[in-house]
Amino acid sequence: MTTEEEKTTTPAGSARRGVVGRLSWGLADQAASSMSNFAVGVYVARSLGPTAFGVFSLAWVTYGVVLAASRGLATDPLVVRFSAVPEASWRSAVARSSGAALGLGTAVGAVCLLVGLALGGGVGPAFACLGVVLPGLLLQDAWRFAFFAAGTGKKAFLNDLVWGVALVPAMVVAARVGSVAAFVLAWGGSAAVAAGYGSLQSGIRPRVARARGWLREQRDLGFRYLVENSSLSGAGQLRAYGLGAIVGVGAVGAVRGAELLQGPFLALLMGLSLVTVAEAARVLRRAPHRLGRFCLLLGGGQAAAALLWGAALLLVPDRLGELVLGDVWHSASELIVPATLSVAGAGLGTGAAAGLRALGAARRSLRAQLFASVCYAGGGLGGAAVAGTVGSAWGVAAATLSGSAVWWLHLRAGRREHHVNPIPEVRTS
């Protein structure tokens, strides 16, 4: 090989190694997150039974809505605009974005606390405790986004590992208490430990006082991402509440049980933007013509893996399923096929979603997400009205596959628009 060829190929090889390294840490981080979420769900399901597990699931779904809002306003703009930028710019942006996440968690947490105290009964204490732990939960998630934006996924992995270690004694104590509220406190309290560790890792203190400035600076992306993210999580919450009203709280537990069986891929999808949006942004800046291939490999790989996992779940004997989920297994196992198709469809769609985020095509991603969310809520509730829990699962599967097709249509249009009118250079301060 000539010296000139070495100069040409070495940077490309180095770039590929960099991408593989960052994605590897992303997969490791998501594995840690998946294991923690799966362990929490299984432990709570076995400890509380179907009805109480349904109450815990309602709190979990509510947290998902608030988390989606936090990501849209605070951390999605950070990943899009402050990936691979000078460290000084990154540190300033992280201080403000993490402050926004912490401020949102405190404000919404106070509302949840008051609502929970007003509700009382079996649901009220769970929501009151959720309000107490929300600030720590959102701040911990904000650090993960920050580390992946900087290309230091190892720190995100270590942070999730700390959360997982802190969960062990917390869950043991919660099991002895034996209430939904105790499990919510254990889950969120251990996240607060990891959030504190994240501040030590980064050497950055969240600037809540500068959160308003961050929201103002990022409003062109942030508020569209807020609507986009909230529509998805809000559709899930609407489906959960509606399913509970139409079929019963036990049905919510069955759906959550089926999601736990798909745990490795659902957790990966929930945290996908931690890795893939940052990587798609790098691909766009360095080789725009490769963005479509990157997104297709990403989405197709996830869909194929989800289908293989679902096929393996169908082979699980009832005795082993009962060992994992207890009484929840029987109702959850009936939903494996539609739940697998839902995860496969969502995995395929996230490839296109990452591309649209990297393009900064917030209007197109918003349209695609609104369509997918309306289909999700409509399919889930319509299916429940027609055929109960199983009907809801099949309605969601059909909706997710339809939404994925719309995501890819918008990505194709967004790439054409980018070639004609490239987006201006993103801000780095």
Side-chain angles (χ1 to χ4, degrees):
M1 180 182 291
T2 65
T3 302
E4 183 176 350
E5 288 172 334
E6 289 176 357
K7 290 180 179 178
T8 302
T9 58
T10 300
S14 178
R16 283 193 294 269
R17 286 193 297 272
V19 171
V20 171
R22 288 188 294 269
L23 288 176
S24 296
W25 279 116
L27 291 173
D29 174 70
Q30 291 306 323
S33 177
S34 298
M35 290 176 64
S36 296
N37 289 336
F38 182 76
V40 169
V42 168
Y43 202 67
V44 176
R46 289 184 57 81
S47 301
L48 299 180
T51 301
F53 182 58
V55 174
F56 181 85
S57 299
L58 290 177
W60 185 290
V61 168
T62 303
Y63 154 71
V65 174
V66 183
L67 178 65
S70 175
R71 288 181 174 180
L73 290 173
T75 49
D76 280 344
L78 175 76
V79 173
V80 171
R81 285 185 165 147
F82 293 90
S83 294
V85 300
E87 184 179 358
S89 298
W90 173 81
R91 292 181 67 86
S92 175
V94 169
R96 289 174 288 153
S97 65
S98 61
L102 182 58
L104 179 64
T106 302
V108 179
V111 174
C112 287
L113 177 61
L114 294 175
V115 170
L117 293 175
L119 284 176
V123 177
F127 277 82
C129 291
L130 177 64
V132 172
V133 300
L134 264 178
L137 285 164
L138 297 191
L139 181 58
Q140 191 274 339
D141 188 73
W143 291 131
R144 298 172 69 213
F145 271 80
F147 294 140
F148 277 109
T152 55
K154 180 179 180 180
K155 291 184 177 181
F157 169 74
L158 290 175
N159 194 276
D160 267 327
L161 197 61
V162 167
W163 187 3
V165 171
L167 263 173
V168 176
M171 283 289 157
V172 171
V173 173
R176 291 182 178 179
V177 176
S179 68
V180 177
F183 279 106
V184 173
L185 286 176
W187 163 57
S190 54
V193 173
Y197 178 60
S199 188
L200 294 175
Q201 286 177 292
S202 63
I204 298 173
R205 187 176 66 183
R207 301 285 185 177
V208 178
R210 300 182 65 185
R212 181 176 296 179
W214 172 263
L215 298 178
R216 183 172 58 251
E217 293 168 11
Q218 309 301 327
R219 62 182 178 274
D220 58 327
L221 292 182
F223 287 103
R224 285 195 177 98
Y225 289 159
L226 168 65
V227 176
E228 181 181 328
N229 291 355
S230 297
S231 67
L232 173 62
S233 56
Q237 189 176 31
L238 179 62
R239 181 212 180 183
Y241 290 165
L243 186 60
I246 296 171
V247 185
V249 177
V252 181
V255 169
R256 178 60 188 154
E259 291 174 351
L260 284 174
L261 295 175
Q262 302 286 343
F265 299 99
L266 283 175
L268 181 64
L269 292 175
M270 288 178 65
L272 191 65
S273 58
L274 293 171
V275 184
T276 55
V277 175
E279 289 305 319
R282 289 184 176 94
V283 171
L284 181 64
R285 291 174 188 173
R286 296 170 181 170
H289 62 284
R290 295 180 180 174
L291 181 64
R293 181 184 177 188
F294 173 83
C295 295
L296 183 60
L297 289 173
L298 174 67
Q302 287 185 103
L307 291 173
L308 288 174
W309 181 261
L313 288 175
L314 292 174
L315 302 177
V316 174
D318 288 339
R319 183 175 300 178
L320 180 59
E322 291 170 1
L323 180 64
V324 175
L325 291 181
D327 293 338
V328 178
W329 163 257
H330 296 287
S331 55
S333 62
E334 297 178 354
L335 310 180
I336 289 176
V337 174
T340 297
L341 294 176
S342 295
V343 175
L348 186 61
T350 52
L356 282 174
R357 287 287 177 93
L359 289 168
R363 291 183 179 178
R364 286 201 170 276
S365 61
L366 176 59
R367 292 172 191 167
Q369 188 57 73
L370 288 176
F371 175 85
S373 298
V374 170
C375 288
Y376 183 96
L381 295 179
V386 173
T389 309
V390 175
S392 179
W394 278 106
V396 165
T400 305
L401 292 170
S402 299
S404 178
V406 171
W407 274 109
W408 280 99
L409 290 174
H410 275 286
L411 176 61
R412 185 175 66 176
R415 291 180 63 209
R416 285 201 302 264
E417 292 169 356
H418 176 76
H419 289 314
V420 175
N421 298 304
I423 58 175
E425 189 68 25
V426 297
R427 294 191 293 272
T428 59
S429 62

